[in-house]
C-alpha cells in the first residue's frame, strides 16, 4: 500500500488547509497541486470518503473560529 494513500485524503486536505490558516484561502486547485494529484482525482477521492473540499474547508474554519473564541474568552 502506498504510504501516502494510508492517510485519508480528507485528513491530508484538512492538514494543508490548517497549515495555511490566516493566509489567503487555498483553492481546490492549489490543494490538489500540493498533494500532487489532479483536481478531478482529489474530488473523486474525497467523494469516495463521503467528503467534499467545501465541507472540509468549512470544518477547518469552524474549528479555528471556536479555538479563537476560547482563547479570547
Amino acid at each position: 500500500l502506498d504510504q501516502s494513500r494510508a492517510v485519508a485524503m480528507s485528513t491530508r486536505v484538512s492538514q494543508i488547509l490548517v497549515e495555511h490558516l490566516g493566509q489567503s484561502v487555498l483553492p481546490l486547485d492549489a490543494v490538489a497541486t500540493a498533494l500532487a494529484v489532479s483536481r478531478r482525482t482529489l474530488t473523486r477521492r474525497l467523494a469516495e470518503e463521503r467528503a467534499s473540499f467545501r465541507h472540509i474547508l468549512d470544518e477547518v474554519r469552524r474549528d479555528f473560529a471556536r479555538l479563537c473564541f476560547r482563547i479570547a474568552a
Side-chain angles (χ1 to χ4, degrees), residues 5-21:
R5 293 275 297 204
V7 177
M9 184 63 76
S10 56
T11 300
R12 295 169 69 201
V13 168
S14 209
Q15 290 169 340
I16 289 171
L17 292 173
V18 166
E19 289 170 8
H20 289 84
L21 276 173

Side-chain angles (χ1 to χ4, degrees), residues 14 24 31 43 56 62:
S14 209
S24 60
V31 174
T43 302
I56 296 167
R62 185 173 42 251

Side-chain angles (χ1 to χ4, degrees), residues 21-38:
L21 276 173
Q23 302 171 28
S24 60
V25 175
L26 288 180
L28 185 132
D29 291 330
V31 174
T33 299
L35 293 169
V37 297
S38 71

Side-chain angles (χ1 to χ4, degrees), residues 18 21 60-73:
V18 166
L21 276 173
V60 166
R61 286 175 170 163
R62 185 173 42 251
D63 291 347
F64 182 66
R66 285 181 181 150
L67 177 63
C68 289
F69 182 74
R70 262 184 276 186
I71 290 171

Side-chain angles (χ1 to χ4, degrees), residues 28-66:
L28 185 132
D29 291 330
V31 174
T33 299
L35 293 169
V37 297
S38 71
R39 174 189 182 104
R40 177 72 187 117
T41 296
L42 177 56
T43 302
R44 187 179 68 249
R45 290 196 186 153
L46 290 174
E48 288 169 1
E49 296 175 18
R50 300 189 191 288
S52 72
F53 181 78
R54 173 58 55 195
H55 177 76
I56 296 167
L57 179 58
D58 289 346
E59 201 169 69
V60 166
R61 286 175 170 163
R62 185 173 42 251
D63 291 347
F64 182 66
R66 285 181 181 150

